[in-house]
Amino acid sequence: MKILTQISETKIKNLVRLLSERLKLSTDVSNYAPGRRRSWLQYEAPLGATLPWRKANQDGELWSEILEIGKEIGFTPELGLASIGGTISPHRDAAYADYKAIGINLGGTTFGYEKAYPEYRWAPQAQLVNPTEVSETDLVGGEVYEFNCKNLHWTTKVSPTRWAINLWQVSNKQRSQYETFKEKVCPTLMMQ
Ligand SMILES: [Fe+2]
């Protein structure tokens, strides 16, 4: 993982306000994030091959704050997941996600990461980092970082009031299903 920038205290406060006010949270059902409360942003990604894409929270003010941060680091997200509290055990993000993911950290936590894929793409076994490089980075709030979400990653020592926003672009594997869903279900969004 690599920390790309640090957002200001004012921006952190505004983001936390928007997250607290505009989201309808649900408790995480995944067994790797017990008790975490979260909301998908823009679209809810399918976590299994046979599941559909769904429309998620599309609060314009919150998403434009996020896009502004993305612009600073040259990343245009297509969907995100906002969450508060809760640790996440080591996992890789599912097939909907392209390799490069962005994290916006808004509180105290430790981000664990095991680098195996050296770049933001698939690589055969012989080209993987070997032995893998494990890092645990203490974060305090405001860090914006990139990581390969197909490498194992996790969080520990999560403050119960810590918000996190994870952002992705859609993988090539899911691209056509995602585009088809957007055209069928949210045609007005295509014109923006
Ligand atoms: Fe993840």
Side-chain angles (χ1 to χ4, degrees), residues 75 93 98-103 120 145-149 167-168:
F75 184 83
D93 292 351
D98 203 1
Y99 289 86
K100 184 188 276 191
I102 298 294
Y120 290 114
Y145 56 94
E146 62 176 26
F147 63 103
N148 183 329
C149 68
L167 301 168
W168 300 273

Side-chain angles (χ1 to χ4, degrees), residues 32 36 81 88-94 96 101 111 147 149-154 166 168:
Y32 61 84
R36 185 175 66 157
L81 184 78
I88 310 166
S89 58
H91 68 280
R92 306 173 205 278
D93 292 351
Y96 69 87
F111 182 83
F147 63 103
C149 68
K150 309 298 176 181
N151 282 331
L152 285 173
H153 55 282
W154 60 94
N166 283 293
W168 300 273

Side-chain angles (χ1 to χ4, degrees), residues 147-181:
F147 63 103
N148 183 329
C149 68
K150 309 298 176 181
N151 282 331
L152 285 173
H153 55 282
W154 60 94
T155 55
T156 54
K157 294 181 229 154
V158 182
S159 154
T161 58
R162 178 242 185 188
W163 281 98
I165 301 171
N166 283 293
L167 301 168
W168 300 273
Q169 288 177 337
V170 175
S171 64
N172 291 337
K173 214 183 258 181
Q174 274 285 330
R175 172 63 53 191
S176 66
Q177 287 95 317
Y178 167 75
E179 298 292 347
T180 304
F181 172 78

Side-chain angles (χ1 to χ4, degrees), residues 19-61:
L19 291 166
S20 314
E21 288 177 5
R22 308 283 170 91
L23 299 181
K24 213 181 116 199
L25 299 176
S26 51
T27 301
D28 220 305
V29 287
S30 58
N31 56 11
Y32 61 84
R36 185 175 66 157
R37 312 247 304 142
R38 90 280 195 274
S39 167
W40 288 91
L41 304 174
Q42 300 296 97
Y43 302 98
E44 177 177 344
L47 296 179
T50 57
L51 294 171
W53 281 87
R54 294 179 199 275
K55 198 175 163 192
N57 179 284
Q58 296 191 346
D59 184 85
E61 203 181 336

